[in-house]
């Protein structure tokens, strides 16, 4: 049987398995919607079978209750918080299915390309990790943009306070005048306090959604000012100027450590690139690393040294400001 037929059959089998698992784990959405309609119309008391009060209808998703996969992933790795910070509307099972699909596509490409059976699992792992890497990069990019917008937002709120507006009106002004992602986050705080949530709690929720030290300073200053009094506009101006100075110093640090970061990228990318090049020229020479006992030990040692080197280089060039 040809490798193409084997790869196609393996892809269809894995896709069918993933679809079956997703179908079993999705739950009964119709019953969930009927139960919530009963709560809204007063036909249900809103308690579960064991007598405990059920979760509020306003705090849960219409896509179904939290399943075993969500609970397991939230204990090991909080994907739900990552989705919220990256501004992605996706469930954990759907994201896992995407990862499995990418891994299956990597296996199919490996079979079609005629790669060695030892290298195909490595390709599958790398392809399956691509969605996770994309999620982390999207989250980092969004948080970085939020940090760069925060000083302008604080100065805008300070000017609104000096003009006679309230703090909530200043946040609403940021939501309407500035761009994503800070407009969405400040607009969410404004809507939460409009719906009756205390402003302190809304700010605390904001700091949980956006892990930013300067934002924590802002929330602490607002909470203290509401409890003890003071000129909030002046405090916000000082925090904004502090953020600008930190960004200025951070830019200087990035310029001074640019050579070290580029050297780290080259040193970390050189062994995999050489492995691919030698494998293309002489596959038997490289496969000794996977078949020979000494080659396996050398491969494991090289991977460990690569990891330690990456950590050391990151420690050197990652200077916190």
């Amino acid at each position: 049987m040809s490798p193409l037929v084997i790869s196609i059959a393996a892809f269809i089998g894995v896709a069918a398995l993933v679809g079956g698992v997703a179908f079993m784990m999705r739950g009964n959405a119709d019953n969930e919607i009927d139960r919530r309609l009963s709560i809204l119309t007063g036909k249900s008391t809103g308690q579960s079978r064991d007598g405990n009060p059920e979760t509020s209808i306003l705090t849960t998703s219409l896509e179904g209750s939290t399943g075993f996969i969500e609970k397991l992933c939230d204990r090991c790795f909080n994907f739900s918080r990552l989705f919220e910070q990256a501004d992605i509307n996706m469930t954990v099972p759907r994201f896992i299915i995407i990862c499995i699909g990418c891994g299956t596509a990597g296996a199919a490409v490996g079979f079609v390309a005629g790669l060695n059976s030892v290298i195909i699992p490595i390709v599958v792992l790398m392809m399956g990790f691509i969605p996770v890497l994309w999620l982390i990069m999207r989250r980092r990019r969004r948080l970085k943009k939020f940090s760069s917008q925060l000083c302008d937002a604080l100065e805008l709120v300070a000017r609104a306070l000096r003009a006679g507006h309230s703090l909530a009106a200043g946040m609403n002004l940021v939501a309407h005048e500035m761009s994503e992602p800070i407009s969405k986050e400040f607009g969410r705080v404004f809507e939460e306090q409009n719906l009756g949530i205390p402003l302190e709690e809304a700010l605390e929720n904001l700091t949980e959604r956006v892990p930013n030290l300067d934002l924590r300073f802002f929330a602490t200053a607002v909470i203290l000012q509401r409890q003890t009094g003071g000129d909030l506009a002046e405090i916000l101006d000082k925090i904004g100027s502090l953020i600008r100075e930190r960004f200025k110093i951070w830019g200087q640090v990035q310029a001074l450590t640019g050579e070290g970061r580029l050297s780290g990228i080259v040193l970390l990318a050189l062994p995999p690139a050489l492995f691919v090049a030698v494998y293309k020229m002489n596959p038997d020479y490289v496969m000794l690393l996977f078949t020979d006992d000494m080659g396996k030990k050398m491969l494991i040692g090289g991977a460990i040294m690569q990891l330690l080197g990456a950590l050391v280089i990151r420690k050197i060039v990652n200077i916190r400001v």
Side-chain angles (χ1 to χ4, degrees), residues 20-82:
V21 172
F23 181 79
M24 289 187 296
M25 299 301 293
R26 70 182 182 89
N28 196 337
D30 295 335
N31 293 339
E32 181 69 17
I33 296 175
D34 293 339
R35 183 186 63 81
R36 298 187 181 192
L37 289 176
S38 299
I39 294 175
L40 287 176
T41 56
K43 296 180 181 180
S44 177
T45 58
Q47 292 187 347
S48 59
R49 294 180 179 178
D50 55 359
N52 297 325
E54 295 182 349
T55 306
S56 173
I57 189 173
L58 297 177
T59 60
T60 54
S61 173
L62 282 175
E63 295 185 3
S65 58
T66 303
F68 173 75
I69 296 180
E70 290 91 336
K71 293 180 180 179
L72 181 61
C73 291
D74 287 342
R75 287 184 180 181
C76 301
F77 200 70
N78 197 345
F79 278 106
S80 301
R81 179 65 67 183
L82 284 178

Side-chain angles (χ1 to χ4, degrees), residues 119 265-283 285-287 289-290 299 306:
I119 302 178
I265 294 174
V266 173
L267 292 176
L268 293 176
L270 189 60
L274 286 177
F275 176 83
V276 173
V278 176
Y279 180 81
K280 289 294 184 181
M281 292 185 295
N282 191 356
Y285 182 78
V286 178
M287 292 310 299
L289 294 174
F290 298 96
L299 187 63
Q306 278 282 101

Side-chain angles (χ1 to χ4, degrees), residues 218-232:
F218 164 69
T220 304
V222 171
I223 294 173
L224 290 177
Q225 190 272 339
R226 291 175 66 88
Q227 294 177 355
T228 62
D231 189 358
L232 183 59

Side-chain angles (χ1 to χ4, degrees), residues 4 11 16 51 58 93 127 147-148 185 194 243 247:
L4 178 60
F11 177 78
L58 297 177
M127 292 293 293
S147 300
S148 63
E185 296 296 340
N194 270 349
I243 296 174
F247 266 95

Side-chain angles (χ1 to χ4, degrees), residues 141-198:
R141 191 183 306 115
R142 187 172 185 267
L143 294 180
K144 184 178 180 180
K145 186 176 180 180
F146 183 94
S147 300
S148 63
Q149 293 176 318
L150 184 58
C151 54
D152 295 332
L154 296 184
E155 292 178 354
L156 184 59
V157 174
R159 289 195 294 268
L161 292 175
R162 289 193 176 94
H165 297 284
S166 64
L167 179 61
M171 291 186 176
N172 189 30
L173 184 63
V174 172
H176 284 86
E177 296 296 331
M178 298 191 67
S179 59
E180 291 279 354
I182 199 166
S183 60
K184 182 176 181 179
E185 296 296 340
F186 273 68
R188 184 169 177 177
V189 174
F190 176 75
E191 294 297 336
E192 285 180 355
Q193 63 91 26
N194 270 349
L195 292 173
I197 298 177

